[in-house]
Amino acid sequence: MRHNPDQSSRSGLLAVAAVQQACSENKAASLATTEMLVREAAAGGAQLIVLQELHATQYFCQTEDTSIFDLAEPIPGPTTERLSALAKELGVVLVGSVFERRMNGVYHNTAVVIETNGSIAGLYRKMHIPDDPGFYEKFYFTPGDAQFNDGRNGFSPIETSVGKLGVLVCWDQWYPEAARLMALAGAEILIYPTAIGWDVTDDPDEQARQLEAWVTVQRGHAVANNLPVVAPNRVGTEPDPTGHSDGIRFWGHSFICGPQGEFLARADDSTECILSVTLDRNRSESIRRIWPYLRDRRIDAYGDILKRVRD
């Protein structure tokens, strides 16, 4: 099914889908699942389809293992070529995720935005890189450049036929500065491909607090910037390859919310699924007229935000 993005641009309406899936240790199997779900989303009318973080593989950052760098690919490369062909065939804008090999010794966690004609509209390289038990990302990922080689800020929306996409990745979702910079550069949607889950040994109350914090902070970005948010996450329990822990149970709960933080669609904690909504992008304009947060910012008083600590 092919779609006409010009029609949605004229009306302000945009059909968006977020894909929640489980991932296999077999890259081909994971990508086959991704392709099946993307086709289903497009058949349902989606014009913009967003995939979760590192959807081609299991989440390999539970351990530090130099052999895993063999999974990394250049961009363009095999995964982006497959996604590009799919986006072109279906006539959709597709946000994918790649373990990028930029050069020898420099690897990134990279979101790739692909246009309806199969071309790469832009890249976003994850800026904030965590390093916690079970999430040893600093071992694998170099942070994205604060400034691209062409002079653009690292937090720059990607121009597409369906609008300006403020693409961020997972750990970035805890940082209001990232969302605000995207909004100030004209982003029309905030997008957070994600891979987050529970330590399976945590008690249920702690698991509930973590999930609620994850949802709340992203809804807060929607509210503070008057922008819709799309946050796809993975599901399934993935073992720790070293056997030193019980692995991670990815909590799903992918969601799409509107520019006042209102839930438009939300998944459960275990099911592979597609969340589909139609966004009215004119709502951001109307809300900003009555809640003019950006107008009232005291930019003359925020200089200390650039300090590590105000001591």
Side-chain angles (χ1 to χ4, degrees):
M1 177 181 292
R2 297 186 63 84
H3 305 290
N4 182 356
D6 292 335
Q7 184 175 358
S8 66
S9 299
R10 287 193 297 271
S11 68
L13 299 179
L14 179 64
V16 177
V19 173
Q20 175 171 291
Q21 74 173 89
C23 293
S24 167
E25 60 185 357
N26 182 302
K27 196 171 187 177
S30 290
L31 285 171
T33 299
T34 296
E35 181 170 335
M36 176 190 69
L37 293 169
V38 168
R39 289 185 181 280
E40 184 179 339
Q47 298 157 287
L48 169 64
I49 302 173
V50 183
L51 305 174
Q52 66 206 33
E53 181 185 19
L54 300 173
H55 54 83
T57 63
Q58 289 191 327
Y59 182 76
F60 49 79
C61 304
Q62 292 194 60
T63 184
E64 297 181 353
D65 180 354
T66 56
S67 69
I68 289 173
F69 287 106
D70 291 340
L71 293 173
E73 304 177 19
I75 298 175
T79 296
T80 56
E81 288 171 1
R82 181 169 181 172
L83 295 177
S84 291
L86 187 60
K88 183 177 182 180
E89 176 193 343
L90 300 174
V92 299
V93 173
L94 184 59
V95 180
S97 179
V98 176
F99 180 22
E100 179 192 4
R101 180 186 182 277
R102 191 173 180 186
M103 63 171 290
N104 289 340
V106 179
Y107 305 84
H108 295 285
N109 185 334
T110 302
V112 183
V113 179
I114 299 170
E115 255 296 354
T116 57
N117 63 2
S119 65
I120 294 177
L123 306 177
Y124 170 78
R125 294 176 173 125
K126 188 173 182 176
M127 294 282 276
H128 300 96
I129 310 297
D131 190 74
D132 298 298
F135 296 85
Y136 298 114
E137 294 198 12
K138 281 185 168 63
F139 183 80
Y140 296 102
F141 305 132
T142 300
D145 299 329
Q147 189 174 65
F148 289 99
N149 290 335
D150 64 7
R152 290 174 300 130
N153 183 276
F155 297 114
S156 292
I158 296 172
E159 293 261 13
T160 75
S161 58
V162 297
K164 291 185 177 181
L165 307 183
V167 181
L168 298 157
V169 176
C170 199
W171 195 238
D172 295 322
Q173 62 214 177
W174 301 99
Y175 295 86
E177 300 90 342
R180 178 53 54 86
L181 286 169
M182 285 292 191
L184 292 175
E188 296 172 81
I189 304 171
L190 296 175
I191 294 173
Y192 293 99
T194 298
I196 192 169
W198 293 300
D199 179 336
V200 297
T201 63
D202 280 341
D203 68 75
D205 287 343
E206 174 60 20
Q207 292 181 349
R209 286 190 292 267
Q210 291 175 7
L211 173 58
E212 189 64 23
W214 176 75
V215 171
T216 301
V217 74
Q218 292 177 93
R219 294 177 71 193
H221 300 328
V223 173
N225 296 289
N226 307 126
L227 292 175
V229 166
V230 181
N233 187 27
R234 68 175 63 201
V235 290
T237 300
E238 298 183 13
D240 177 352
T242 68
H244 292 156
S245 75
D246 294 319
I248 300 173
R249 180 187 168 205
F250 291 93
W251 65 46
H253 283 282
S254 301
F255 70 93
I256 301 172
C257 70
Q260 291 172 299
E262 70 277 21
F263 284 118
L264 302 176
R266 189 174 184 184
D268 65 17
D269 65 355
S270 58
T271 307
E272 286 189 328
C273 64
I274 298 162
L275 300 181
S276 298
V277 304
T278 298
L279 297 177
D280 180 358
R281 288 171 296 174
N282 294 325
R283 287 199 62 235
S284 288
E285 169 69 20
S286 62
I287 292 169
R288 284 178 177 176
R289 293 182 183 188
I290 60 172
W291 298 94
Y293 308 135
L294 300 186
R295 181 197 67 190
D296 296 340
R297 295 175 65 241
R298 286 295 307 275
I299 60 173
D300 55 320
Y302 298 157
D304 279 3
I305 200 71
L306 297 178
K307 296 179 180 178
R308 178 68 67 184
V309 178
R310 297 181 68 196
D311 53 11

